[in-house]
């Protein structure tokens, strides 16, 4: 079995676009999932989503934004939704679009994430370099980031935070998009904020620092641990049905593994492997995904075509990352 890389793959397929992570034009739209439990959804996909959970005594924010200015807007939004003080900030991943805003939160806010996420927050220059490729002309906004504030409190596989009459569960099920993906689950709402670990069914995920086999094992652990989970709030893209999303991603990962493993064993080149791996988006987007993105502040045709191009780009990236991993293994 190939070992999980210690750093995200920096190579990208020829012609790759990737997700637009620039905060320019980004607004957060609150969706209340239960009393004082909010999904903060980006108005333009696939820019970053966030979350807010409040209890009797305190509030918790999910992910910090890509710049200090975006972090300030997240905090302004939360202040309109609850008068409870923000005491906790959870990072679902170490990636800069979720963590560069950490330093803009007050010092008394406790930042929490998996131990593995913290361990991967060790090279700010490299992280800024990688994320700048997804800023679409706005990379200069990252110049203001001179400090990468790391989590204050870490856990290995499970932790609980009591906000006062409201329990929030934190889970690390194993490697997925990255090695330390953290899932935030609110049992009362049957909702989870999944970061880059799990998106709406039909959206391509990114295998940036791992492989399809351990990713699939992590998803099965999530399914077993959270049988009552209904709604997922991903780090990017629309909310969706959690069970459907897990099943869809598992099927994709299993097919990706089989196709790339067979290609490597056959001695095919990377270009030959691209051609040999089935593209689930060759015929377009799933109609349920089309319906889910129709509510965005983007013309329908533009949103659909943009998401389709992104999914096909990400699939090629997954083929490349898996090919390099299996060749190295």
């Amino acid at each position: 079995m190939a070992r999980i890389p210690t750093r995200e793959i920096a190579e990208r397929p020829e012609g790759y676009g990737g997700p637009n992570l620039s905060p320019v034009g980004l607004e957060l739209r609150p969706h209340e999932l239960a009393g004082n439990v909010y999904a903060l959804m980006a108005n333009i996909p696939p820019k970053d989503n966030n979350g807010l959970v409040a209890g009797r005594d305190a509030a918790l924010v999910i992910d910090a934004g890509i710049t200090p200015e975006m972090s300030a807007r997240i905090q302004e939004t939360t202040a309109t939704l609850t008068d409870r003080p923000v005491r906790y900030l959870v990072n679902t991943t170490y990636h800069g679009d979720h963590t560069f805003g950490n330093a803009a939160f007050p010092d008394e806010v406790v930042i929490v994430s998996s131990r593995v996420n913290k361990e991967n927050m060790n090279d700010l220059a490299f992280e800024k370099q990688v994320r700048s490729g997804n800023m679409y002309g706005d990379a200069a906004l990252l110049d203001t980031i001179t400090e990468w504030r790391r989590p204050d409190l870490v856990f290995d596989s499970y932790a609980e935070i009591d906000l006062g009459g409201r329990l929030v569960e934190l889970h690390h099920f194993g490697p997925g998009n990255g090695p330390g993906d953290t899932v935030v689950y609110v049992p009362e709402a049957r909702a989870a904020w999944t970061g880059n670990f799990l998106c709406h069914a039909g959206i391509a995920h990114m295998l940036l620092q791992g492989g399809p086999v351990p990713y699939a094992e992590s998803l099965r652990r999530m399914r077993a641990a959270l049988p009552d989970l209904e709604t997922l709030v991903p780090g990017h893209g629309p909310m969706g049905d959690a069970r459907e999303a897990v099943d869809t991603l598992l099927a994709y990962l299993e097919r990706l593994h089989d196709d790339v493993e067979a290609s490597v064993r056959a001695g095919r080149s990377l270009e030959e492997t691209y051609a040999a791996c089935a593209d689930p988006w060759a015929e377009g987007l799933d109609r349920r995904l089309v319906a889910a993105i129709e509510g965005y502040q983007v013309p329908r045709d533009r949103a659909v075509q943009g998401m389709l191009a992104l999914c096909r780009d990400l699939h090629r990236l997954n083929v490349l990352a898996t090919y390099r991993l299996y060749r190295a293994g």
Side-chain angles (χ1 to χ4, degrees), residues 266-295:
R268 298 189 185 108
S269 68
L270 176 60
E271 289 302 321
E272 290 170 332
T273 302
Y274 283 138
C277 290
D279 178 357
W281 295 273
E283 302 300 323
L285 297 180
D286 181 279
R287 55 183 175 77
R288 290 164 295 185
L289 177 55
V290 171
I293 63 179
E294 283 183 337

Side-chain angles (χ1 to χ4, degrees), residues 308-323:
L308 176 59
L310 175 61
C311 287
R312 301 198 72 188
D313 267 354
L314 297 183
H315 172 64
R316 293 174 63 241
L317 175 61
N318 293 340
V319 172
L320 182 153
T322 306
Y323 181 84

Side-chain angles (χ1 to χ4, degrees), residues 20-78:
N20 185 339
L21 303 179
S22 168
V24 173
L26 173 56
E27 299 174 6
L28 295 174
R29 297 176 170 178
H31 293 260
E32 193 167 17
L33 304 176
N36 294 316
V37 179
Y38 296 91
L40 305 180
M41 304 301 294
N43 59 323
I44 304 171
K47 297 178 187 288
D48 288 73
N49 303 319
N50 296 86
L52 169 67
V53 184
R56 182 183 60 249
D57 304 323
L60 175 151
V61 170
I62 299 156
D63 285 332
I66 194 168
T67 62
E69 293 75 18
M70 193 61 227
S71 175
R73 274 190 272 163
I74 292 168
Q75 294 175 72
E76 290 165 3
T77 301
T78 63

Side-chain angles (χ1 to χ4, degrees), residues 6-301:
T6 58
R7 174 175 280 192
E8 174 181 331
I9 185 171
E11 184 182 3
R12 296 294 184 262
E14 184 177 354
Y16 174 85
N20 185 339
L21 303 179
S22 168
V24 173
L26 173 56
E27 299 174 6
L28 295 174
R29 297 176 170 178
H31 293 260
E32 193 167 17
L33 304 176
N36 294 316
V37 179
Y38 296 91
L40 305 180
M41 304 301 294
N43 59 323
I44 304 171
K47 297 178 187 288
D48 288 73
N49 303 319
N50 296 86
L52 169 67
V53 184
R56 182 183 60 249
D57 304 323
L60 175 151
V61 170
I62 299 156
D63 285 332
I66 194 168
T67 62
E69 293 75 18
M70 193 61 227
S71 175
R73 274 190 272 163
I74 292 168
Q75 294 175 72
E76 290 165 3
T77 301
T78 63
T80 68
L81 300 172
T82 181
D83 60 359
R84 301 299 186 266
V86 174
R87 297 298 188 211
Y88 301 95
L89 168 65
V90 178
N91 291 154
T92 60
T93 176
Y94 73 87
H95 295 166
D97 53 310
H98 301 254
T99 61
F100 282 159
N102 282 356
F105 276 77
D107 291 343
E108 61 268 23
V109 174
V110 177
I111 302 177
V112 189
S113 195
S114 70
R115 186 181 306 277
V116 182
N117 274 337
K118 182 174 182 176
E119 290 171 351
N120 277 264
M121 294 172 68
N122 55 23
D123 190 337
L124 177 58
F126 179 77
E127 182 65 16
K128 287 172 66 174
Q129 175 189 340
V130 171
R131 298 308 148 216
S132 66
N134 295 108
M135 291 294 284
Y136 284 77
D138 297 320
L141 295 176
L142 301 184
D143 292 344
T144 62
I145 300 156
T146 58
E147 175 189 358
W148 201 5
R149 183 179 168 188
R150 302 170 77 206
D152 307 296
L153 183 64
V154 298
F155 67 96
D156 292 313
S157 60
Y158 179 76
E160 295 178 353
I161 297 176
D162 187 351
L163 300 175
R166 169 152 286 148
L167 190 68
V168 178
E169 299 180 3
L170 306 182
H171 296 266
H172 170 53
F173 296 111
N177 165 266
D181 291 301
T182 295
V183 172
V184 182
Y185 179 55
V186 179
E188 289 177 77
R190 296 189 176 184
W193 285 255
T194 53
N196 296 341
F197 184 67
L198 184 65
C199 295
H200 188 291
I203 292 181
H205 294 58
M206 302 171 74
L207 282 73
L208 294 178
Q209 198 171 334
V213 172
Y215 200 157
E217 292 171 351
S218 300
L219 285 167
R220 293 187 183 99
R221 282 191 286 270
M222 175 181 173
R223 185 167 59 186
L226 303 179
D228 296 327
L229 172 59
E230 295 178 353
T231 303
L232 72 92
V233 184
H236 306 270
M239 291 184 287
D241 178 276
R243 297 182 186 90
E244 181 182 37
V246 169
D247 291 345
T248 302
L249 181 52
L250 278 172
Y252 172 76
L253 293 171
E254 290 164 358
R255 180 65 180 270
L256 178 69
H257 164 72
D258 290 346
D259 286 351
V260 177
E261 183 182 54
S263 192
V264 169
R265 286 181 174 175
R268 298 189 185 108
S269 68
L270 176 60
E271 289 302 321
E272 290 170 332
T273 302
Y274 283 138
C277 290
D279 178 357
W281 295 273
E283 302 300 323
L285 297 180
D286 181 279
R287 55 183 175 77
R288 290 164 295 185
L289 177 55
V290 171
I293 63 179
E294 283 183 337
Y296 279 98
Q297 189 180 313
V298 180
R300 179 187 183 279
D301 289 346

